[in-house]
Amino acid sequence: MARDDRVNALLPVEVEFQKEKASGLRRTSDKLEELLADLSRAEREVRAHSGPGRAALFTRYRAARLEAEKQRWNLMVQREACGLRNHKELDFLYPMPPLLKE
């Protein structure tokens, strides 16, 4: 079997790998978008309330922020595994809001 035939035989497999990488990045970024929206809702709720109920809302906000930060890190790692080393785009596309103080 000639070398070109072997390379061509592997091409469909390589294409499938690339599709799966893209699909994985999409799923991870979609999840991050959901978590950032949840974080935004939690932040609005904290800002809108005062008094005894605010502490529980702030606990929910911290949990939402932790999940969003974790998912953002997961996306960075996944991008690096795909050879994408510049993460400035993430700051633009998926900005983390400033940390809300108690």
Side-chain angles (χ1 to χ4, degrees):
M1 180 179 263
R3 184 182 185 293
D4 288 342
D5 290 342
R6 288 185 300 219
V7 170
N8 289 336
L10 291 176
L11 190 58
V13 175
E14 181 63 29
V15 168
E16 194 62 32
F17 282 148
Q18 295 301 330
K19 285 181 183 179
E20 190 54 39
K21 284 180 185 180
S23 178
L25 283 170
R26 188 196 73 243
R27 286 189 305 270
T28 304
S29 62
D30 287 350
K31 179 66 174 173
L32 178 56
E33 286 178 359
E34 291 174 19
L35 290 169
L36 288 172
D38 187 42
L39 175 60
S40 180
R41 283 189 296 276
E43 183 176 343
R44 282 193 306 272
E45 289 174 0
V46 169
R47 290 183 187 279
H49 289 83
S50 60
R54 189 171 194 270
L57 292 172
F58 199 80
T59 299
R60 181 182 173 283
Y61 163 80
R62 280 194 307 251
R65 183 168 180 94
L66 185 64
E67 280 300 309
E69 288 173 344
K70 182 174 147 185
Q71 188 67 16
R72 191 169 191 277
W73 182 82
N74 288 343
L75 182 57
M76 287 175 66
V77 170
Q78 194 171 7
R79 284 173 49 90
E80 286 185 10
C82 292
L84 303 169
R85 307 267 189 267
N86 185 350
H87 301 299
K88 290 180 183 180
E89 297 159 349
L90 293 181
D91 295 332
F92 178 73
L93 295 172
Y94 308 104
M96 287 296 293
L99 183 61
L100 186 62
K101 304 288 183 190
E102 271 189 75

